[in-house]
Amino acid sequence: MSTQTGPRKHVTIHELRRMKESGDKIVMVTAYDATMARLVDAAEVDAVLVGDSLGMVFQGQDSTLPVTLDQMIYHSATVRRGLARASGRPHLVGDLPFGSYQASADEAVKAAMRLVAEGGVEAVKLEGGSDYVDVIRRIVRAGVPVMGHIGLTPQSIHKMGGYVVQGKDSEKAQQLLKDARALEAAGCYAVVLECIPVELARIITGQLGIPTIGIGAGPHCDGQVLVLTDLLGLDASFTPRFVKRFGEVGEAVRAAVAAYAGEVKAATFPDDAHSFHSSSVRLVPVAQEDDRDEEPHGGVMGAPV
Ligand code: KIV
């Protein structure tokens, strides 16, 4: 593991490769808005993913399927601005949403280019294995780095029949290894391994020259990714095995808002320390509709406001 000193350089796809080679674990986390982007940058993560998980954790949808390319561009641009207000060091990846890359390589290239040009990401992630090598080749040829994503691929929820661990038998594990190698050969610079057995993730990681980033894939991947709202503990009811809550921010939010509500009800907020005063302002009472034809009351209010 290397120890870095001095100013922290922006993390490029080449730096991620170097990290794999030197055994430095890659830390990736999702973000969907400028405020959280600024905070995760300050926490010194290596990469930020604007995941289409935003459909579920931000929009309240049941799956990632309804997320549109325009929405991904919107959220990516907010995250890019948040990072620009912090160190700007993390590598920024954006998900190509369902329907933006499956129909044809031409459409995929156009979608990837919009996400880069309008959303400000430096790479795109797409779900799928060997079936997507042509699409990946075309996007990479257009100058856009591609991160692959295999194992549990939420955009294929209906095909998979649920959010279940993938590659548990030898045949399916073999296919996932084949997929991982095909993604590397097609030009992917990294690959997310989602919800696959630890043993399989270890073999794939050992066989690829590109970094593997795991979520629910055990400790042997070159890096890890978690959905930000999950690791923050924003939704106490969501407790899959692979998620560790590193904070209880949901409870902190509830408690803070309840404290605010309590003080408003008790009229103890705002107090003097949170209010403005002026010793010079004097107001002339404003005539009401009915008083228009009457003589103005005139006069100056005596007390400063
Ligand atoms: O959309 C997302 O957040 C993802 C991660 C879970 C890898 O794809």
Side-chain angles (χ1 to χ4, degrees), residues 121-139:
V121 301
E122 56 210 276
V124 299
K125 177 166 81 56
L126 61 81
E127 297 179 10
S130 312
D131 292 345
Y132 284 91
V133 294
D134 290 340
V135 166
I136 291 164
R137 280 209 183 93
R138 285 283 309 281
I139 298 175

Side-chain angles (χ1 to χ4, degrees), residues 16-299:
L16 294 173
R17 179 79 173 237
R18 187 207 61 74
M19 289 173 79
K20 175 181 177 105
E21 282 158 10
S22 60
D24 288 349
K25 290 284 189 188
I26 297 164
V27 180
M28 184 158 91
V29 68
T30 67
Y32 316 108
D33 65 72
T35 299
M36 288 298 174
R38 201 167 41 74
L39 290 172
V40 301
D41 181 316
E44 305 196 356
V45 301
D46 301 306
V48 175
L49 169 68
V50 185
D52 62 354
S53 51
L54 69 85
M56 298 172 84
V57 301
F58 193 90
Q59 300 175 341
Q61 312 270 13
D62 289 336
S63 74
T64 60
L65 301 181
V67 177
T68 66
L69 180 60
D70 283 340
Q71 290 165 352
M72 289 307 305
I73 290 170
Y74 172 87
H75 285 279
S76 299
T78 65
V79 170
R80 171 50 79 205
R81 285 192 288 271
L83 295 178
R85 285 190 194 117
S87 79
R89 176 182 172 271
H91 177 70
L92 181 59
V93 194
D95 263 342
L96 283 178
F98 183 64
S100 69
Y101 62 95
Q102 289 91 344
S104 75
D106 282 349
E107 278 187 31
V109 171
K110 284 185 197 149
M113 292 179 115
R114 281 195 65 201
L115 202 50
V116 171
E118 300 172 43
V121 301
E122 56 210 276
V124 299
K125 177 166 81 56
L126 61 81
E127 297 179 10
S130 312
D131 292 345
Y132 284 91
V133 294
D134 290 340
V135 166
I136 291 164
R137 280 209 183 93
R138 285 283 309 281
I139 298 175
V140 172
R141 208 184 310 148
V144 178
V146 176
M147 179 179 280
H149 182 161
I150 57 173
L152 195 166
T153 47
Q155 292 179 16
S156 307
I157 174 70
H158 299 308
K159 190 170 158 195
M160 292 182 305
Y163 297 106
V164 284
V165 178
Q166 303 292 303
K168 282 175 85 174
D169 64 52
S170 302
E171 195 190 330
K172 295 206 174 98
Q174 195 67 48
Q175 182 58 45
L176 282 171
L177 176 59
K178 221 168 124 192
D179 285 338
R181 295 178 72 109
L183 293 184
E184 175 167 30
C188 282
Y189 71 97
V191 59
V192 167
L193 305 177
E194 179 162 354
C195 289
I196 62 170
V198 172
E199 299 76 13
L200 175 59
R202 177 180 214 156
I203 291 170
I204 293 176
T205 300
Q207 293 213 1
L208 296 190
I210 57 174
T212 58
I213 302 185
I215 174 165
H220 306 298
C221 298
D222 299 303
Q224 298 291 327
V225 58
L226 277 180
V227 169
L228 183 61
T229 49
D230 295 345
L231 81 86
L232 292 180
L234 281 181
D235 180 358
S237 67
F238 186 65
T239 53
R241 184 186 170 97
F242 63 88
V243 168
K244 178 171 175 184
R245 297 218 298 256
F246 289 87
E248 294 301 336
V249 180
E251 175 47 27
V253 169
R254 191 209 57 76
V257 176
Y260 160 66
E263 291 198 18
V264 170
K265 296 280 187 199
T268 54
F269 175 83
D271 56 9
D272 215 43
H274 297 93
S275 303
F276 303 102
H277 293 278
S278 166
S279 54
S280 59
V281 173
R282 298 283 188 282
L283 288 187
V284 175
V286 178
Q288 290 183 347
E289 284 284 299
D290 299 349
D291 298 342
R292 282 252 169 85
D293 298 333
E294 293 172 14
E295 283 288 303
H297 295 297

